[in-house]
Amino acid sequence: MSKISNIEDFQNVFFIGVAGVGMSAIAQYLKGIGKEVSGSDRYFNPGEYNKTKEQLEAEGIHCFLQDGSGISPTTDLVVVSTAIEDTVYEVQKAKELAIPIIKRSELLSIIAKSKKTIAVAGTSGKSTTSAMLYQILLDAHLEPSIISGAGLTSIIKEGKIGNAAVGKGEWLIIEADESDGSVVQYEPEIGLLLNIDKDHQEIDELIELFTIFKNNTKSLFIVNQSNTLAKTLSANPKNDFGFEDKNAGFSAENFQQNGFHLSFEVLNQKFEMNSIGRHSAENATAAIAVAHQIGVNLKVCAESLSKYEGIYRRHQILGQKKGVWVIDDYAHNPAKCAASIKACQPL
């Protein structure tokens, strides 16, 4: 098996578990830059409708049953997620054909090396902040790309899965995940650390992972001065963001929430958003800190965030009936649940 270390080292790539949110994002991105992409999934069954399969095929990604039929001698690379065991028949077939097999995170790090990458890390808020930053850079005409862990509402409206987009510009936004330790694989141009709270690992393990992430960042490392643990890894507080924190170069001030509407100020620029919760303002300020430091005017940031439509299952407003609002939220650890509940009880 030849070693894959560069995005030019392969053309025909096959994903085992392609319907997964992390896998489908990379599959769509690679298709968007001209690779031949196909994949299988255990949830693809004969004669059974699968929306993700339909959306992938609409992008030109060939979908197969998980029976090995999609892997052939012309396949250059097989990608697996951490959920795919070595006993899966397709993994065995790839080995028999001597096709290189790599994990999703390893492939993402190879993709990241091919662009000027902004890696968003932290135990909470990665998908939301990535989406906000993508929207700002898009509205600033920088034509960014994104590989995300959740669908952006603005892209979902186009009938797509919404977790990936390919732009002609030099910037790529990715999420650097600590849950599987893969955060240490990336060498981004800009590293953004949102927070450190106990989640998949113990605190000391998380500090170790994020310290390596900091050391791997090439030019600009930005942390949240309002998060007790994250701020210990600050490279320069002037570059950092925070919530009503005078130590941060970019601080959200005069925060107000009225129903599903937020307002706050950063460096005397007023921001208004259709969102809820202090954490939303904090995530937005993180995106603003990155965007402004790569040359985007604060007014452009404000205009962009006023149109931000959110992401799938992150305080997603489903509707209202008889005075009761229904909100779908993915919060799944104590810090995320607390932020989600607090957002709905601002007073």
Side-chain angles (χ1 to χ4, degrees):
M1 289 187 197
S2 59
K3 175 72 175 160
I4 302 286
S5 58
N6 189 292
I7 203 158
E8 305 302 331
D9 290 345
F10 63 91
Q11 177 58 27
N12 192 329
V13 56
F14 187 91
F15 288 79
I16 304 174
V18 72
V21 67
M23 296 283 269
S24 64
I26 298 180
Q28 291 167 91
Y29 178 84
L30 290 177
K31 182 64 186 176
I33 63 167
K35 303 291 185 186
E36 286 300 314
V37 183
S38 54
S40 65
D41 201 278
R42 64 185 62 171
Y43 294 110
F44 296 164
N45 296 311
E48 198 175 289
Y49 174 73
N50 184 289
K51 187 178 180 182
T52 304
K53 179 173 181 283
E54 182 182 72
Q55 290 170 314
L56 289 169
E57 289 184 330
E59 298 290 322
I61 295 166
H62 304 292
C63 293
F64 295 87
L65 301 178
Q66 203 164 310
D67 59 6
S69 59
I71 298 175
S72 73
T74 62
T75 306
D76 299 323
L77 178 65
V78 169
V79 187
V80 296
S81 68
T82 46
I84 304 298
E85 308 88 358
D86 282 352
T87 52
V88 170
Y89 173 64
E90 287 177 308
V91 174
Q92 302 295 324
K93 184 172 180 181
K95 287 180 177 176
E96 284 166 23
L97 294 171
I99 300 166
I101 302 169
I102 65 174
K103 285 200 159 57
R104 183 200 74 88
S105 57
E106 198 180 336
L107 177 55
L108 183 55
S109 73
I110 290 168
I111 292 169
K113 284 171 187 159
S114 71
K115 302 279 280 184
K116 284 180 84 169
T117 295
I118 301 163
V120 181
T123 43
S124 305
K126 292 187 290 292
S127 297
T128 300
T129 305
S130 296
M132 289 175 176
L133 181 56
Y134 173 75
Q135 187 67 52
I136 292 170
L137 299 192
L138 194 66
D139 291 335
H141 308 295
L142 294 178
E143 299 187 72
S145 301
I146 186 169
I147 296 171
S148 173
L152 282 67
T153 302
S154 57
I155 305 176
I156 291 171
K157 282 182 172 179
E158 298 170 18
K160 300 174 186 283
I161 298 171
N163 53 357
V166 177
K168 294 174 186 170
E170 60 185 353
W171 291 105
L172 166 66
I173 302 160
I174 67 166
E175 293 179 36
D177 195 358
E178 81 294 335
S179 65
D180 59 3
S182 62
V183 65
V184 302
Q185 295 182 22
Y186 309 111
E187 297 173 6
E189 197 74 25
I190 298 173
L192 175 61
L193 179 58
L194 301 173
N195 40 55
I196 304 175
D197 295 297
K198 183 167 163 41
D199 194 357
H200 301 277
Q201 286 104 333
E202 296 301 323
I203 292 295
D204 55 347
E205 290 177 83
L206 290 168
I207 295 280
E208 188 180 342
L209 289 172
F210 290 129
T211 300
I212 296 169
F213 174 62
K214 174 186 176 179
N215 294 338
N216 286 347
T217 298
K218 292 177 188 170
S219 63
L220 181 62
F221 191 69
I222 300 168
V223 307
N224 184 353
Q225 282 287 330
S226 300
N227 183 264
T228 306
L229 293 172
K231 72 178 181 183
T232 64
L233 296 180
S234 174
N236 184 343
K238 287 181 186 173
N239 301 332
D240 294 340
F241 73 98
F243 185 90
E244 295 176 355
D245 195 312
K246 300 298 182 190
N247 292 323
F250 297 82
S251 176
E253 302 289 333
N254 303 321
F255 172 79
Q256 288 187 311
Q257 178 175 328
N258 185 6
F260 295 107
H261 182 264
L262 301 181
S263 66
F264 57 95
E265 291 174 16
V266 178
L267 297 174
N268 299 316
Q269 171 67 54
K270 186 164 185 183
F271 288 83
E272 296 188 66
M273 296 177 66
N274 293 313
S275 190
I276 57 172
R278 165 193 157 145
H279 67 290
S280 295
E282 209 167 287
N283 290 335
T285 306
I288 293 159
V290 175
H292 191 59
Q293 290 178 87
I294 61 174
V296 180
N297 184 287
L298 286 176
K299 192 167 185 292
V300 172
C301 294
E303 287 169 0
S304 178
L305 288 173
S306 71
K307 297 177 289 186
Y308 172 69
E309 295 183 79
I311 57 174
Y312 180 65
R313 297 200 66 205
R314 305 303 195 276
H315 261 294
Q316 185 181 9
I317 298 164
L318 299 182
Q320 181 242 31
K321 191 166 185 178
K322 295 183 180 176
V324 177
W325 287 91
V326 178
I327 299 169
D328 187 5
D329 194 70
Y330 180 67
H332 60 276
N333 71 24
K336 290 174 184 173
C337 291
S340 186
I341 294 165
K342 190 177 179 184
C344 295
Q345 301 170 338
L347 301 176

